Amino acid sequence: MSKKIFIQKLLFIILLFSFLKPIYAQQSRVDSVIYALEKSKISKGVDSTGFDAAISLIEKTTLNDSSIALIEKSGNQFTIGNDEYWSYRVKFGILNSLIATDKNKAIIYGKYNFEAAKKSKTPDASFISNGFLSQLRLPYRNSNRLSEGFQ
């Protein structure tokens, strides 16, 4: 009888850990992104190779609201005065991740950053806002909100 109870408890523990592992793996991926972003910030500016690797990692990660907030906070460290170019590159990577996973959230996020970039004082504001606008065609095209995208 005790052997049967032991096996049941062991199976329960295995099942419990199998459900917790994806949550931990997702958080460790976000931690890796934040670490890569911090590592790409060097004394002379930005290590573009390391930064591109971090953006690539962002685009391959499934993001939720809390992980987006953490990554954006880490990306804001690249703002130098009025120049937000590198910060918007992080946001553009987040948009690409959302396009692959959640079309409606991608539309909301992209529209918000498009408007924010238009109002920004950064030197490349029109280039950045046009990038968001052109990238928004993908979630509109692949969602049921296509007619909204033409407006």
Side-chain angles (χ1 to χ4, degrees), residues 89-101:
R89 286 219 26 217
V90 171
K91 294 174 183 178
F92 196 79
I94 292 170
L95 175 62
N96 285 335
S97 172
L98 291 174
I99 287 171
T101 58

Side-chain angles (χ1 to χ4, degrees), residues 27-42 45-61 70-71 73-78 86 89-90:
Q27 184 58 41
S28 68
R29 171 76 60 93
V30 172
D31 291 341
S32 297
V33 167
I34 292 170
Y35 176 74
L37 286 171
E38 289 173 357
K39 191 175 174 186
S40 67
K41 179 107 170 129
I42 56 176
V46 178
D47 173 17
S48 60
T49 304
F51 187 85
D52 287 342
I55 298 300
S56 178
L57 191 57
I58 290 171
E59 292 173 347
K60 295 175 185 173
T61 304
L70 287 171
I71 293 171
K73 183 179 177 184
S74 182
N76 287 338
Q77 72 179 340
F78 293 98
W86 296 101
R89 286 219 26 217
V90 171

Side-chain angles (χ1 to χ4, degrees), residues 88 91-92 95-96 99 106-118 124-141 146 148-151:
Y88 275 109
K91 294 174 183 178
F92 196 79
L95 175 62
N96 285 335
I99 287 171
I107 290 170
I108 293 167
Y109 187 79
K111 285 172 64 174
Y112 173 78
N113 282 296
F114 168 71
E115 292 298 329
K118 276 191 350 185
D124 295 323
S126 64
F127 172 74
I128 294 167
S129 64
N130 286 336
F132 277 101
L133 182 62
S134 68
Q135 198 65 4
L136 274 171
R137 74 187 186 335
L138 296 172
Y140 275 119
R141 183 187 305 157
L146 182 61
E148 181 185 328
F150 289 118
Q151 298 172 0

Side-chain angles (χ1 to χ4, degrees), residues 18-31:
S18 68
F19 288 117
L20 292 177
K21 185 172 173 66
I23 294 169
Y24 174 74
Q26 184 65 28
Q27 184 58 41
S28 68
R29 171 76 60 93
V30 172
D31 291 341

